[in-house]
Amino acid sequence: MLGEIFSRSAEIIKTIPSNIFGAIYNAKIRKRLKNREFTILSSNCIGGIIYHRMGQRFCSPTINLWMIEQDFQKFCLDLNYYKKCELSFFQCGKKYPVAKLGEDDREITIYFLHYKDQSDAEMKWNERIKRIKEENLFVVATDNDGMTEEQLKKWGEMKCKDKVVFTANKYPQLPYAFYLEKYKDKGSVGKCINDVNKFTGLRYVESKFDFCDFLNK
């Protein structure tokens, strides 16, 4: 009898739209959030997702875009330099705008994945880079793109309020490395941002890492 009840309950839960779970989840974390006007620099779209969850203004240029992790690390560790650089767009066969930033060995590539055209990408980048709150700065990175242990150690040089690097391997010597066991056999966390629970609409990484607590620190 109990087994049948649990089974029916599970089926009912499956019929509840994920946006309802998302709305409830968002309401809870917004109530818990004490920090405001923060900057999240992220190598992929997770930063934008967190801002949406928290109901906060985008105080970061790294919204709706991505960089390879090595370029993202360069960007973060030399932020004052890149803030002064101008985007240089070029064609590379992508269906979205792509630009270079910086020169010589400081040059990095930015992929504006969720922008319709160059002018839109450039406008939003220039607008949001001025909003960076250096006194309330957080960094979210991953071990993707072949990041070595030595490269991961360089994150220790980052001056910010807090940082987290999601990894598929354990690095007990790195206090900012957050191990996601689910990806341990894949070598890196890969596109963990796309690992979404179809019933709740929440990402696996959100179920393991408390972003609200991270920002409240």
Side-chain angles (χ1 to χ4, degrees):
M1 182 68 177
L2 283 175
E4 185 178 347
I5 291 173
F6 286 135
S7 178
R8 288 181 179 178
S9 297
E11 290 302 315
I12 291 172
I13 289 173
K14 289 180 181 179
T15 65
I16 300 175
S18 62
N19 60 342
I20 293 178
F21 283 104
I24 294 171
Y25 179 82
N26 291 352
K28 285 183 176 180
I29 61 175
R30 289 177 187 184
K31 188 175 181 180
R32 288 176 53 212
L33 185 67
K34 305 302 179 185
N35 196 0
R36 296 289 188 277
E37 288 290 300
F38 48 79
T39 289
I40 299 174
L41 299 178
S42 59
S43 56
N44 56 38
C45 295
I46 191 65
I49 291 166
I50 298 167
Y51 277 113
H52 277 300
R53 294 277 190 220
M54 306 297 181
Q56 296 298 300
R57 185 172 76 142
F58 293 151
C59 293
S60 168
T62 61
I63 302 295
N64 295 330
L65 55 81
W66 65 276
M67 306 179 211
I68 65 167
E69 292 297 331
Q70 289 83 353
D71 281 359
F72 177 63
Q73 187 176 72
K74 281 185 182 181
F75 175 74
C76 292
L77 293 179
D78 205 358
L79 187 58
N80 286 331
Y81 166 74
Y82 289 107
K83 283 169 64 176
K84 300 171 186 175
C85 296
E86 293 186 4
L87 294 168
S88 176
F89 289 88
F90 67 99
Q91 296 295 324
C92 64
K94 299 290 186 183
K95 295 181 179 180
Y96 48 81
V98 180
K100 298 288 186 183
L101 191 69
E103 297 180 347
D104 302 323
D105 60 341
R106 284 169 148 179
E107 184 181 85
I108 62 175
T109 305
I110 304 174
Y111 299 87
F112 291 90
L113 178 62
H114 297 296
Y115 290 89
K116 59 183 180 181
D117 55 44
Q118 174 181 322
S119 60
D120 184 40
E122 188 169 29
M123 179 186 69
K124 291 299 184 182
W125 175 270
N126 291 333
E127 176 184 290
R128 291 167 180 163
I129 205 162
K130 295 175 183 176
R131 296 181 190 166
I132 291 177
K133 310 296 180 184
E134 294 191 30
E135 74 287 353
N136 201 13
L137 177 65
F138 298 82
V139 171
V140 181
T142 75
D143 64 352
N144 290 333
D145 305 310
M147 287 287 283
T148 65
E149 184 172 348
E150 286 304 310
Q151 289 173 327
L152 293 175
K153 286 180 180 178
K154 282 187 66 65
W155 279 119
E157 302 172 15
M158 182 66 198
K159 302 290 191 296
C160 58
K161 241 186 179 180
D162 208 351
K163 52 185 170 281
V164 62
V165 181
F166 295 112
T167 67
N169 295 290
K170 292 181 179 180
Y171 297 98
Q173 75 280 20
L174 303 180
Y176 45 82
F178 190 88
Y179 174 54
L180 294 175
E181 186 177 7
K182 182 176 183 179
Y183 309 110
K184 65 181 180 180
D185 297 325
K186 297 184 178 180
S188 71
V189 298
K191 295 183 179 179
C192 60
I193 191 173
N194 296 333
D195 191 351
V196 183
N197 185 305
K198 64 181 179 179
F199 301 125
T200 66
L202 301 181
R203 286 154 180 80
Y204 173 77
V205 66
E206 294 179 275
S207 70
K208 295 300 179 181
F209 184 80
D210 191 332
F211 284 103
C212 191
D213 185 54
F214 175 65
L215 293 167
N216 281 338
K217 286 180 182 178

